[in-house]
Amino acid sequence: MDNLIEAQAAFSIANIAETGVKYGRHPGEWYGPLIMMQIFEELNEKYKPFPGLEIVVFPEGVIYVDKLRKKFNSKTKSVIVLVGFRLGLKRINSEYYPAIIRMMEMQNFIGMSGGQDDGALYFIGYQNDRLIFLDPHVTQPAIPYLEDLWTDHLTYHYPTPLLLPVSRLNTCFAIGVIRADGRILFEDEGRVREVREGCEG
């Protein structure tokens, strides 16, 4: 995709690297989920690859309702809300684990980016006290035609879930939800506030 016109590959590695320089990051360096979410918001605003889709980010875990409301208008179909958290310097206190799990129970939860010190992971759910994740570093050639996805779809899935104990999660992560209804989205803000209060004790 990086060889296509920039607007056709809004979230390409080339565009991410170019935008990352504004945040003090250069190719090959660790970006982290808090910087990545801001890059996604900026690229979406610049290229508008999906008509009607907006992205709004809150890197410090504080949701500003006025900023949310500005994203909802007659042309908006959906809004992706990304909320960043930093829960400690070296490790997450065990008292925070239930709050992290509760975030994955929000309506229209689309995932959590984070991982370990040696690599980024994308979390999609949980099982007991372990987080289910996808590893973005496992790649394979792109399929040339959409119809080929049906015949090759099994190669895109692991036979068993990939699990990470919540105790090994990096202290810095970001969660995402997608909404087409502002009223319901503000209800989610209440859940994030509940989680934040739980994390702050």
Side-chain angles (χ1 to χ4, degrees), residues 113-115 119-123 133-140 158 162:
S113 64
L121 301 174
Y122 185 70
F123 300 92
F133 70 88
L134 305 175
D135 189 344
H137 303 94
V138 178
T139 61
Q140 63 187 68
Y158 283 92
L162 298 172

Side-chain angles (χ1 to χ4, degrees), residues 5-195:
I5 299 173
E6 286 185 345
Q8 294 178 314
F11 305 110
S12 68
I13 294 175
N15 284 345
I16 289 172
E18 181 180 353
T19 308
V21 174
K22 299 179 182 179
Y23 297 91
R25 294 295 186 272
H26 300 278
E29 295 182 345
W30 172 252
Y31 282 47
L34 302 187
I35 289 180
M36 281 303 303
M37 60 195 285
Q38 295 176 84
I39 291 175
F40 285 139
E41 181 184 41
E42 185 169 333
L43 291 176
N44 187 70
E45 187 66 26
K46 180 178 181 179
Y47 295 112
K48 298 291 186 185
F50 306 103
L53 176 67
E54 297 286 347
I55 296 178
V56 59
V57 303
F58 300 96
E60 299 176 353
V62 178
I63 293 180
Y64 297 97
V65 175
D66 289 345
K67 185 177 180 180
L68 273 178
R69 288 201 173 108
K70 288 179 181 178
K71 291 292 182 178
F72 285 95
N73 55 55
S74 59
K75 297 181 180 180
T76 302
K77 296 180 180 178
S78 298
V79 175
I80 293 178
V81 182
L82 302 175
V83 184
F85 292 89
R86 184 182 295 277
L87 303 179
L89 296 176
K90 294 184 177 180
R91 64 178 59 186
I92 299 176
N93 190 299
S94 60
E95 294 180 356
Y96 301 166
Y97 300 165
I100 294 172
I101 296 297
R102 286 202 304 274
M103 284 190 278
M104 295 185 167
E105 297 174 348
M106 289 193 297
Q107 277 192 322
N108 291 1
F109 169 78
I110 58 173
M112 180 174 81
S113 64
Q116 299 174 281
D117 293 335
D118 57 349
L121 301 174
Y122 185 70
F123 300 92
I124 58 174
Y126 70 93
Q127 183 181 61
N128 298 322
D129 61 346
R130 295 182 294 178
L131 306 179
I132 303 171
F133 70 88
L134 305 175
D135 189 344
H137 303 94
V138 178
T139 61
Q140 63 187 68
I143 55 173
Y145 303 102
L146 186 59
E147 53 266 24
D148 292 338
L149 180 61
W150 178 250
T151 57
D152 294 341
H153 74 281
L154 291 179
T155 67
Y156 291 85
H157 301 277
Y158 283 92
T160 57
L162 298 172
L163 301 171
L164 179 78
V166 66
S167 60
R168 294 179 58 194
L169 180 67
N170 190 283
T171 60
C172 185
F173 58 91
I175 66 163
V177 294
I178 186 168
R179 282 300 184 202
D181 184 314
R183 180 185 58 80
I184 299 177
L185 187 124
F186 297 134
E187 291 177 3
D188 271 355
E189 187 271 342
R191 172 62 68 90
V192 173
R193 182 189 297 126
E194 170 196 343
V195 171

